[in-house]
Amino acid sequence: MFNKILIANRGEIALRIIRACHELRIKTVAVYSTADELSLHVRFADEAVCIGPPASKESYLNIPHIIAAGEITDSDAIHPGYGFLAENSEFAQICNDNGFTFIGPGPEIIDAMGDKSQAKITMKAAGVPVIPGSDGNVLSIAAAIKEADKIDYPVILKATAGGGGRGMRVVHNSSDMEKAFNTATAEADIAFGNGALYIEKFVENPRHIEIQVIADAFGNAVHLGERECSVQRRHQKLIEESPSAVVDAELRARMGKAAIKGTKASGYVGVGTVEFLLDKNNKFYFMEMNTRIQVEHPVTEMVVGCDLIKQQIRMHAGDKFPDYFYNLKLRGHAIECRINAEDPANNFCPSPAVVESFHMPGGKDVRIDTHVYAGYRIPTQYDSLIAKLIVRATTRQGAINRMQRALEECIIEGPKTTIPFQQAILRDKQFQSGDYNTGFLETFDYQPDRKD
Ligand code: MV4
């Protein structure tokens, strides 16, 4: 096992990783920017190294400074968390080249999954259902029209270097292709330095269902059920749950089997997420694989009862699966709300501020992951996540009730937060029935002052 892990991240996830390390009796090193001097990850790590000024590019994305921090503290592994350098293959390679274990899959696998059209080819070859479309990229407008004629409109153009919703264009007929192709490729080139596009049949109002997988370094892989992440606004997830209201044991077994096939075929090691679209006929299609621990991993932890980050660290230390991994049971229902410092009454405008008072809920099966405390100033440079509130109960309705009770106990004075919006969703008949999809928030009528 590792002696000391450097955490190349900040905020709640840095704290979350420190907690896992300390339970494993692994020493921890925090890195921080000058904006985060008073952060809890700095306080709770065994050591802390300042790696630069507030701008991410000069601190949390500053590879030479992070490697230097690893060297002066004699760390033996680096955990990237999510965001920042988590899916940067160059960083993974540089960690390895400098004698640090990168806590994530190898750089080849990050690259293979980071190229979205290549990842589809890999998954299709492994027998995983993929959305009908081009095998690889479409290199010209003419090629895009030819593919679209085969699969029929509407189609969607996606940046192969993209993911998470950036650089996409829906196309309804051949006369719209030229403009869509040109703007999508230009956008992708600016955003990712790679304008290559692929094309797919556009699936109307799908559900976003992702399967959590974990693989050891000996070719073993299991899935830990699904998370439903269809409650999104402009590709920002607001509420996640497990299990999905529409995934029964039979569908879960098929999706899980497909996810494991893809995981094994790509030679994956560690924790990962296989994202699927589920259409209105409950047919599922591979979309992307995330090669990191995700923000919403606690939803899975609550129903599985394991610590995903401890397991992730063990897999990268070369441990084999424990036997109980093959008999994991999913128990009850979990829901997560991502509480952001944003004003839902004002187009989700960021609301960075000093948190004047801060009280978080407690009680049975209520979990809070946060780095925030009373007096904490939310920096303007980073994402606006204040806290993740996760609850578990025996049934979905029980979990909704528990989340409503827990949200009522939250006191956050200073910034505006997304809590009133999440409360409105939890009250919504359609959400309560479980019959919602990724289009849900597009038509959601949020009335800030209504409390019924
Ligand atoms: C799609 C799609 C419909 N058809 N692909 C958005 C994020 C990126 N990972 C892929 N996305 C989509 N891909 C096809 N062929 C609809 C979406 C999509 C979406 C997917 C998941 C969750 C929320 C979404 C919101 C809008 C569009």
Side-chain angles (χ1 to χ4, degrees):
M1 188 36 78
F2 305 114
N3 175 55
K4 195 187 274 188
I5 294 179
L6 180 145
I7 297 109
N9 215 302
R10 64 177 299 283
E12 68 85 19
I13 193 62
L15 210 49
R16 168 72 188 85
I17 296 162
I18 289 168
R19 288 174 171 147
C21 289
H22 289 174
E23 288 182 19
L24 290 168
R25 294 286 172 260
I26 297 168
K27 292 198 267 305
T28 52
V29 177
V31 294
Y32 64 99
S33 77
T34 53
D36 279 338
E37 268 164 12
L38 302 177
S39 257
L40 289 186
H41 77 287
V42 174
R43 182 132 159 200
F44 289 147
D46 297 300
E47 294 169 77
V49 181
C50 183
I51 51 167
S56 300
K57 268 211 166 340
E58 298 179 66
S59 50
Y60 297 106
L61 294 172
N62 188 328
I63 295 175
H65 286 193
I66 293 166
I67 295 295
E71 271 163 5
I72 60 174
T73 55
D74 197 24
S75 299
D76 37 25
I78 297 183
H79 197 306
Y82 55 68
F84 295 124
L85 298 168
E87 287 168 291
N88 182 318
S89 61
E90 203 184 317
F91 180 60
Q93 185 64 55
I94 292 169
C95 286
N96 295 339
D97 291 346
N98 285 275
F100 302 107
T101 300
F102 177 78
I103 303 194
E108 339 60 56
I109 292 168
I110 296 175
D111 277 335
M113 293 299 143
D115 184 323
K116 305 301 172 188
S117 70
Q118 189 56 47
K120 267 186 82 174
I121 292 172
T122 305
M123 291 296 167
K124 192 175 172 184
V128 181
V130 300
I131 305 167
S134 56
D135 277 314
N137 299 327
V138 281
L139 302 175
S140 66
I141 295 161
I145 290 173
K146 198 173 156 215
E147 284 296 330
D149 283 341
K150 276 197 245 167
I151 55 179
D152 212 358
Y153 291 90
V155 297
I156 185 167
L157 290 166
K158 294 183 175 180
T160 194
R166 293 181 304 169
M168 302 188 328
R169 277 288 179 293
V170 179
V171 187
H172 292 277
N173 52 63
S174 59
S175 49
D176 292 346
M177 185 65 82
E178 181 172 351
K179 191 167 168 238
F181 189 97
N182 288 334
T183 50
T185 196
E187 250 180 50
D189 196 29
I190 291 166
F192 317 113
N194 176 1
L197 305 175
Y198 63 106
I199 194 166
E200 283 179 345
K201 179 79 187 163
F202 179 64
V203 181
E204 217 111 17
N205 289 332
R207 299 177 75 120
H208 174 129
I209 310 258
E210 55 187 33
I211 302 280
Q212 177 71 55
V213 295
I214 182 163
D216 68 17
F218 308 94
N220 304 302
V222 296
H223 78 88
L224 303 173
E226 79 281 5
R227 294 184 289 262
E228 161 98 48
C229 307
S230 297
V231 182
Q232 310 197 359
R233 184 187 171 274
R234 301 192 181 165
H235 307 296
Q236 288 293 113
K237 295 170 185 169
L238 282 158
I239 298 181
E240 304 99 350
E241 60 180 315
S242 181
S244 163
V246 292
V247 176
D248 61 13
E250 183 269 337
L251 180 56
R252 179 173 305 114
R254 281 193 290 124
M255 292 182 79
K257 203 170 168 185
I260 291 170
K261 266 201 289 190
T263 302
K264 287 187 174 173
S266 60
Y268 201 86
V269 180
V271 298
T273 301
V274 184
E275 291 187 356
F276 292 99
L277 286 186
L278 190 69
D279 73 13
K280 59 180 187 303
N281 302 316
N282 271 8
K283 283 187 75 174
F284 65 88
Y285 306 92
F286 169 80
M287 194 164 52
E288 295 174 14
M289 183 167 190
N290 300 319
T291 60
R292 59 172 190 278
I293 191 77
Q294 287 189 256
V295 176
E296 61 270 29
H297 76 274
V299 167
T300 297
E301 294 184 325
M302 293 288 263
V303 293
V304 173
C306 77
D307 183 323
L308 275 171
I309 298 198
K310 275 159 71 170
Q311 293 304 340
Q312 178 192 32
I313 292 168
R314 289 197 174 110
M315 295 305 110
H316 290 286
D319 282 14
K320 269 199 169 143
F321 275 170
D323 287 340
Y324 73 82
F325 260 40
Y326 298 103
N327 301 300
L328 287 171
K329 299 270 183 301
L330 306 177
R331 284 186 58 247
H333 197 100
I335 303 179
E336 171 176 275
C337 284
R338 295 191 191 184
I339 301 170
N340 287 297
E342 293 169 1
D343 184 1
N346 188 15
N347 204 28
F348 290 79
C349 181
S351 181
V354 173
V355 178
E356 302 288 353
S357 65
F358 191 68
H359 173 81
M360 286 291 110
K364 187 176 192 301
D365 289 338
V366 174
R367 167 174 171 181
I368 300 285
D369 278 21
T370 185
H371 60 299
V372 173
Y373 53 87
Y376 177 80
R377 178 187 297 277
I378 300 166
T380 54
Q381 289 86 2
Y382 314 114
D383 74 12
S384 60
L385 188 65
I386 294 178
K388 302 189 305 204
L389 166 56
I390 311 102
V391 302
R392 199 205 75 90
T394 309
T395 63
R396 182 168 188 271
Q397 188 58 56
I400 292 171
N401 295 343
R402 182 158 283 156
M403 181 62 85
Q404 290 180 311
R405 184 274 288 173
L407 285 171
E408 283 165 14
E409 288 179 26
C410 289
I411 301 171
I412 304 174
E413 286 177 329
K416 293 275 197 301
T417 81
T418 50
I419 289 175
F421 190 81
Q422 285 149 335
Q423 287 175 314
I425 294 171
L426 291 163
R427 285 193 298 266
D428 182 86
K429 287 280 168 305
Q430 200 186 339
F431 178 79
Q432 292 222 352
S433 75
D435 181 22
Y436 65 93
N437 57 53
T438 54
F440 173 54
L441 289 188
E442 281 167 36
T443 55
F444 186 67
D445 178 27
Y446 174 58
Q447 304 200 293
D449 298 321
R450 220 160 87 187
K451 295 274 180 280
D452 59 312

